[in-house]
Amino acid sequence: MRVAVVSVGLSVACAIVGSDVGAQQQKKGVLEFTQQGLLIVNFVPGPGADRRLGHRAADGVRSRVGKLVNGREVDVIDGGTVRNALERAGMSADTTFPGSAAHALGIFFRADEYVSATVSNTSSGFRLSGDLVLVRDQHLHQPLAEVTAPKLDSAEQLFAKEIAAARTQLVPERRCENSLREGHGAAAIANARAGVAAFPPSTIARTCLVWALRQTSGAEIPGELLNVSRAILAVDSTNPHAIEGAAIALDSLRRRNEAADMWLRLLNTDTANVDLALRISFALFDGGNSKRAEPLIVGLVDAHPEDL
C-alpha cells in the first residue's frame, strides 16, 4: 500500500540506508524504499488545444508510464480515481490544475510526485512539455524534454519515456538525502553522482549534490559547487537551491560582485519572504557586499518599520 508523504521524515522512515544494503534487499525481492505515488494531472491546453485534449493526453501518458515503471516501486494513480474525486468535488473531469494547483492536488491524493504538463496541437504535430515535481518540495522538480509527434499517441509514448527516464535519478537521490541525515557526506556525494549518471540532465539529484558539497570541506569544493549549481541553472534557471549554492560558492571564491548578483537573484525567487530577505542581507554583509545590501535593508525597514 502506498504510504502518504506528509513530511520528508516520514518518506524515509522505513527506508534502508546505503547502496550496498539496498542492492542486497533487491536481490531478496524486498523493496529498498516504500512505494511512491505518482500523480499525472490533466494537461493544461496550449495553442490549438482544449481541456478535453488535456484530459485525453493525461490519460494516455498515465497509461503508458504505468507500463514503463516497476509497479511495486511506483503507484501511478489511476485516472478513474482522479475523475471520481473531481466529480465528487463538483468539478468537471476535464478540469486542469496548473502550477500550485497541481501541487495541492498532489497533497490531496497523498502523492509523492506529480507531473504538471501542457499539450499543444500545432502544424508540426502534438507537442507535450512539463515537469516532474516532488510534492514535499516544489523546488525539487525536473523539467522534462519537450516532445512533438504527428499523432497524439506517439507524443504520449515519447513523453511517458521522458517521465520514466527522469525518475531513474530518484532512488539515488533518496539515498543521498539519507546519507546526509546520517552525516555521511562522502556517501551522499557518491549517491548524488549516481543519480546524475542515471539521468544526465538531472536537477533533483544534482540538488542533493549541492547540499552534500555545501557540507563538505576542501579547497576544490567551491569550484565544484559552482559548477554543479550552474549545471542545474542551465536546465532550471529559477531553482533557488542552485542559486544559493552558486552564491555560496562565489563568496568562497571571493568573487564578490558575482556573489552579490546571485544572492539578489535568489531574493527574486520569493520577494514576499521577509526571512529570506534578511538572510540574504546578512549573506551580503558577510561576503563583503555591504553597499549592495544597504538598499535591500532600507527597503525592508521602510516596509516593516515595526520589525526590530
Side-chain angles (χ1 to χ4, degrees):
M1 180 181 296
R2 176 167 48 85
V3 177
V5 173
V6 177
S7 70
V8 68
L10 290 177
S11 70
V12 299
C14 298
I16 299 173
V17 181
S19 301
D20 294 338
V21 175
Q24 294 171 9
Q25 293 254 339
Q26 292 291 346
K27 289 179 181 179
K28 297 177 182 179
V30 179
L31 292 179
E32 181 180 357
F33 296 104
T34 55
Q35 186 187 48
Q36 301 294 288
L38 172 61
L39 174 68
I40 300 177
V41 300
N42 290 340
F43 288 18
V44 175
D50 56 19
R51 293 201 306 172
R52 290 183 63 187
L53 182 60
H55 182 174
R56 180 183 167 195
D59 281 347
V61 170
R62 190 182 297 117
S63 173
R64 287 165 172 78
V65 170
K67 297 174 182 177
L68 293 172
V69 298
N70 184 338
R72 297 180 64 225
E73 297 176 352
V74 189
D75 174 22
V76 181
I77 297 172
D78 180 74
T81 301
V82 177
R83 285 191 293 275
N84 290 338
L86 292 177
E87 290 169 355
R88 286 198 303 270
M91 292 184 284
S92 166
D94 295 334
T95 302
T96 58
F97 296 87
S100 59
H103 179 254
L105 200 64
I107 294 173
F108 176 81
F109 281 105
R110 299 179 176 181
D112 302 281
E113 313 150 19
Y114 66 93
V115 172
S116 179
T118 299
V119 57
S120 301
N121 187 2
T122 70
S123 58
S124 57
F126 293 92
R127 184 171 66 240
L128 306 179
S129 61
D131 299 87
L132 173 69
V133 189
L134 302 192
V135 172
R136 59 186 168 83
D137 181 352
Q138 291 184 78
H139 298 308
L140 287 174
H141 71 100
Q142 177 66 54
L144 300 167
E146 183 179 279
V147 303
T148 302
K151 295 183 179 180
L152 181 60
D153 58 353
S154 298
E156 291 167 351
Q157 182 66 25
L158 291 172
F159 199 61
K161 289 180 178 179
E162 289 294 331
I163 295 169
R167 290 200 74 267
T168 59
Q169 67 185 299
L170 298 186
V171 167
E173 193 277 338
R174 287 196 291 276
R175 292 173 183 152
C176 171
E177 289 197 39
N178 286 344
S179 295
L180 283 176
R181 291 186 186 89
E182 295 294 320
H184 301 149
I189 289 174
N191 284 319
R193 286 175 175 161
V196 174
F199 187 66
S202 163
T203 56
I204 298 176
R206 272 195 175 90
T207 295
C208 197
L209 181 54
V210 164
W211 296 336
L213 290 170
R214 286 178 56 178
Q215 296 185 26
T216 305
S217 59
E220 76 286 353
I221 294 299
E224 184 176 3
L225 175 58
L226 181 59
N227 290 337
V228 173
S229 298
R230 283 178 168 169
I232 297 172
L233 294 173
V235 180
D236 178 13
S237 62
T238 61
N239 187 301
H241 298 301
I243 295 172
E244 185 167 9
I248 291 170
L250 289 165
D251 272 336
S252 298
L253 294 168
R254 302 292 190 270
R255 292 160 62 172
R256 292 181 179 177
N257 287 335
E258 293 176 82
D261 290 341
M262 201 61 72
W263 283 118
L264 294 173
R265 181 173 169 181
L266 178 60
L267 178 63
N268 288 332
T269 65
D270 191 356
T271 55
N273 189 330
V274 176
D275 290 337
L276 176 63
L278 287 171
R279 184 159 62 84
I280 289 171
S281 300
F282 284 116
L284 289 169
F285 277 118
D286 291 343
N289 279 301
S290 57
K291 289 184 178 179
R292 301 289 295 276
E294 184 176 354
L296 174 57
I297 292 295
V298 169
L300 284 171
V301 171
D302 290 343
H304 306 277
E306 77 291 346
D307 191 331
L308 295 178

